[in-house]
């Protein structure tokens, strides 16, 4: 320790030579001057820290058994003053003894309003300074998280104690580090904190309003989204945010105010969804927001150098989040717009997306496309994502330019998908990667029916990636209890079956939506590229995957739509690959049984108020808009499959389905059977008669004659009974 200044060395020797706590305390006054002066370098502070001994400092902080010649607060103040200086050095701030003192420091700041501290608030300030220094390093951050510092600081801020901004800055520092792990399952502290800040933001009309916007955005984005949304009853902070942001949108503001406001609005939409923009049940906030985001995108991306545009990545990404949610909401046709509003909105969006297209085209031809800088990569992903959201709705404009750009968009989307797949297969450290391919799927549904786009998709082997994607999302939607290690099985035999967490349920919902889009794309490929569907290795593997996995899918209401999609996709593939199907292949048999169940259960009489009316079954009714087309396509495709794989007809007979159709239709009142349903059933039964000699007898026994007469099924009647 040759570089320790002489005054510090002398002081350290004095401390080591003290015989009592009183003597040591007297020397501490010299230490306080030294550590704040120029003589105290890192080595010097370390020497003093060791000479004092942390147990003595701890005693000054917590013990009531101290010499009575000074008030306890003075001892505490001196100890904290020295600790604050020590904590400025990383080696000391991460020292085990100081880390262990975190609960004591938290206790001091929690008691800031106590009468004891009123005359000496410097103690609280010093405690905050120590915590801030400790929180600057990874070991301290971990320890603060483990001791519940975030909920405690949230309580302090929501109670508006002394120096609450210090508490707020500590919260922001920690939540930026730990994200969703910052918050316990109980959202009470989170709600109290956000309510306090939101109220301050709403009522403050100084520049602090915009500082609070950024702080709110930083904290909101880290919340446990599902937990928060399930506990919003009685919370008024969404309304405070709505009013505060509404005031900002109406005011004349510059970039310094606009940027944090857009950041907060984008984050709030990510947490609460687009319905938040309609809290006053008016459309004005929504339209102002859309216009502001679209104009900002157009301005920031307009004919600038790519370097300049990339500098605005954070702001533009916030605008993209807003636009994506607005576009998706408008696609639901719930928004009632006047013709002039429609025109203004479309013009604003078109102007913004022309610029997005132009920038992405330049990126695809620039060296920045290979950038490994996470900030650049994330911004390129954000551009591809927002353009994909727009292309899901805008299905005709800019096609030649889009086809040229499509290979680059697919490259970015596929890389993001593989990042997610790797993350899920590993230990899931860091933030979950965004799968842009999933966001792109609705647009790919349109591309799948366009010849030129489909050519690009197959040139880049997109069918292979889509199969990988189906496998991943099926594994998420088809949630299974985690495997129990063999050694623990006996002890855990009587444990109740675990259920998915709220986060897992949200993941499963997203996965189901992705599977529906994937099935749509793959169905279009199968129908429009029959040769590929017949011979292509990917399509052979796809059929194998569907027939093996559909029977495993749990029979729950949530899974009904994906059950139908996978069943019909399988039938379309089976039709194309019928020559390869082996008779009585066990997996095909199980798949056909699962498919028959989907087609059979759609209609019945039992659930009708009128015992002579055929109705859509209750289980299907809620999703019938998604299922009706699938059902008719499934029935039609089944008719196409039967002549090619006639042995499948045995399942329609043995299961009782064919007989069940006739018995049900026999009860249906004459003239009430919808023409399209009649046609679907008649075609199917006629096809069964053609391919299986045993069917006639079964249908006749079930009184098919009356059914043919009642519902004028002429073709089926001729097959069964002749002219």
């Amino acid at each position: 320790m040759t570089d320790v200044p002489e005054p510090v060395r002398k002081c350290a020797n004095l401390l080591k030579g003290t015989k009592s706590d009183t003597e040591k305390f007297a020397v501490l006054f010299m230490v306080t001057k030294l550590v704040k002066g120029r003589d105290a370098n890192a080595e010097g502070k370390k020497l003093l820290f060791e000479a004092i001994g942390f147990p003595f400092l701890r005693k000054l902080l917590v013990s009531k058994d101290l010499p009575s010649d000074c008030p306890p607060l003075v001892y505490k103040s001196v100890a904290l003053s020295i600790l604050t200086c020590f904590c400025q050095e990383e080696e000391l701030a991460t020292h085990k003894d100081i880390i262990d003192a975190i609960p004591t420091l938290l206790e001091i700041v929690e008691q800031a309003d106590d009468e004891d501290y009123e005359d000496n608030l410097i103690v609280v300030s010093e405690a905050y300074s120590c915590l801030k220094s400790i929180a600057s390093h990874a070991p301290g951050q971990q320890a603060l998280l483990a001791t519940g510092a975030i909920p405690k600081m949230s309580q302090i801020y929501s109670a508006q104690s002394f120096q609450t901004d210090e508490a707020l800055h500590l919260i922001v520092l920690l939540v930026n580090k730990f994200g969703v792990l910052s918050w316990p399952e109980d959202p009470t502290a989170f709600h109290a904190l956000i309510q306090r800040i939101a109220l301050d933001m709403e009522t403050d009309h100084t520049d602090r309003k915009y500082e609070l916007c950024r702080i709110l955005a930083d904290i909101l984005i880290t919340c446990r989204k599902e937990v928060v949304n399930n506990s919003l009853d009685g919370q008024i902070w969404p309304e405070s945010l709505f009013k505060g942001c509404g005031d900002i949108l109406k005011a004349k503001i510059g970039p310094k105010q606009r940027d944090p406001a857009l950041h907060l609005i984008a984050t709030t939409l990510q947490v609460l969804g687009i319905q938040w923009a309609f809290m006053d049940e008016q459309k004005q906030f929504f339209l102002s927001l859309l216009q502001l985001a679209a104009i900002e995108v157009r301005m920031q991306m307009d004919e600038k150098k790519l370097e300049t545009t990339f500098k605005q990545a954070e702001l533009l990404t916030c605008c993209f989040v807003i636009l994506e949610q607005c576009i998706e909401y408008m696609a639901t046709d719930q928004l009632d717009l006047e013709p002039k509003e429609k025109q203004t909105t479309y013009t604003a969006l078109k102007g913004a997306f022309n610029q997005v297209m132009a920038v992405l085209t330049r990126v695809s031809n620039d060296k920045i496309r290979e950038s490994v800088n996470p900030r650049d990569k994330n911004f390129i992903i954000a551009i591809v994502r927002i353009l994909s959201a727009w292309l899901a709705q805008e299905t005709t404009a800019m096609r030649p330019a889009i086809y040229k750009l499509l290979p680059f968009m697919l490259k970015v989307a596929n890389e993001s998908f593989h990042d997610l797949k790797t993350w899920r297969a590993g230990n899931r450290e860091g933030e979950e990667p965004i799968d842009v391919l999933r966001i792109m799927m609705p647009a790919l549904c349109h591309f799948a029916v366009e010849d030129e786009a489909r050519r690009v998709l197959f040139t880049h082997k997109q069918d292979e990636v889509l199969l990988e994607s189906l496998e991943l999302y099926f594994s998420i939607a088809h949630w299974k209890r985690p495997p129990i290690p063999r050694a623990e099985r006996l002890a855990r035999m009587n444990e109740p079956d675990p259920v998915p967490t709220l986060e897992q349920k949200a993941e499963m919902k997203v996965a189901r939506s992705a599977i529906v889009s994937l099935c749509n794309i793959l169905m279009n490929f199968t129908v429009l590229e029959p040769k590929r569907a017949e011979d292509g290795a990917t399509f052979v593997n796809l059929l194998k995957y569907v027939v093996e996995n559909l029977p495993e899918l749990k029979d729950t209401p949530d899974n009904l739509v994906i059950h139908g999609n996978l069943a019909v996709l399988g039938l379309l593939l089976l039709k194309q690959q019928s020559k390869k199907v082996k008779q009585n292949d066990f997996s095909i048999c199980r798949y056909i049984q699962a498919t028959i169940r989907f087609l059979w259960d759609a209609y019945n009489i039992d659930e009708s108020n009128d015992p002579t009316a055929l109705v859509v079954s209750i289980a299907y009714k809620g999703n019938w808009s998604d299922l009706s087309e699938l059902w008719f396509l499934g029935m039609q495709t089944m008719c196409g499959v039967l002549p090619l794989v006639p042995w499948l007809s045995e399942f329609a007979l043995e299961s009782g389905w064919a007989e069940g159709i006739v018995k049900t239709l026999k009860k249906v009142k004459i003239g009430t059977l919808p023409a399209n349903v009649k046609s679907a059933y008649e075609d199917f039964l006629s096809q069964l008669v053609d391919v299986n000699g045993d069917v006639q007898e079964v249908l006749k026994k079930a009184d098919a004659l009356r059914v043919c007469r009642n519902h004028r099924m002429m073709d089926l009647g001729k097959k069964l009974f002749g002219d």
Side-chain angles (χ1 to χ4, degrees), residues 505-577:
K505 283 178 181 172
E507 271 184 352
M508 289 160 74
K509 188 178 177 183
V510 168
R512 287 193 292 269
S513 173
I515 291 168
V516 170
S517 293
L518 282 161
C519 286
N520 275 315
I521 299 163
L522 294 165
M523 282 183 211
N524 283 328
F525 282 174
T526 305
V527 172
L528 297 169
E529 298 281 342
K531 191 79 186 106
R532 285 182 200 273
E534 186 181 336
D535 301 326
T538 305
F539 289 89
V540 171
N541 291 333
L542 176 59
L543 177 59
K544 186 170 183 273
Y545 184 80
V546 171
V547 299
E548 285 176 1
N549 287 280
L550 178 64
E552 300 298 323
L553 189 65
K554 289 181 189 133
D555 185 12
T556 66
D558 286 338
N559 283 342
L560 182 59
V561 175
I562 58 171
H563 184 130
N565 273 278
L566 288 165
V568 175
L569 173 60
L571 284 175
L572 289 165
L573 289 162
L574 205 53
K575 188 179 171 187
Q576 299 298 344
Q577 296 174 32

Side-chain angles (χ1 to χ4, degrees), residues 110 398 543 604:
E110 281 181 289
M398 313 180 280
L543 177 59
N604 63 44

